[in-house]
Amino acid sequence: MRLNCSASVYTGPYIAIQEVPMEEARVKVTIRCNLCGEKFVLRGRRDKGSIDTGFKQCICNNSNDLDIEEHSV
Ligand SMILES: [Zn+2]
């Protein structure tokens, strides 16, 4: 007797990559440095409560004292 394999859950190497939802929250983020006053306008992606903009630090090396404003695109 043979089992019908096609009915079992496929757990091969091609596990589906988690699809990005269509309503992926794209946001525009304005970051102002409180030390030197430089402004950065970045496109970001909201991800579980935080916003991923790729921003690391200001040109003055400040990475903590920042004023971050979020706008929906
Ligand atoms: Zn700065």
Side-chain angles (χ1 to χ4, degrees), residues 25-31 42 44-47 49-51 53 67-73:
R26 290 208 160 271
V27 290
K28 201 169 92 178
V29 181
T30 306
I31 299 174
L42 300 159
R45 202 158 37 89
R46 199 204 298 267
D47 186 27
S50 65
I51 300 169
T53 59
D67 214 29
I68 299 172
E69 234 180 275
E70 174 194 340
H71 316 269
S72 52
V73 178

Side-chain angles (χ1 to χ4, degrees), residues 10 12-19:
Y10 182 60
Y14 301 107
I15 293 168
I17 295 162
Q18 193 180 0
E19 281 184 45

Side-chain angles (χ1 to χ4, degrees), residues 32-38 40 58-62 65-66:
R32 195 172 67 84
C33 176
N34 285 327
L35 290 190
C36 72
E38 187 71 33
F40 304 89
C58 180
I59 49 174
C60 69
N61 292 334
N62 168 34
D65 197 1
L66 301 162

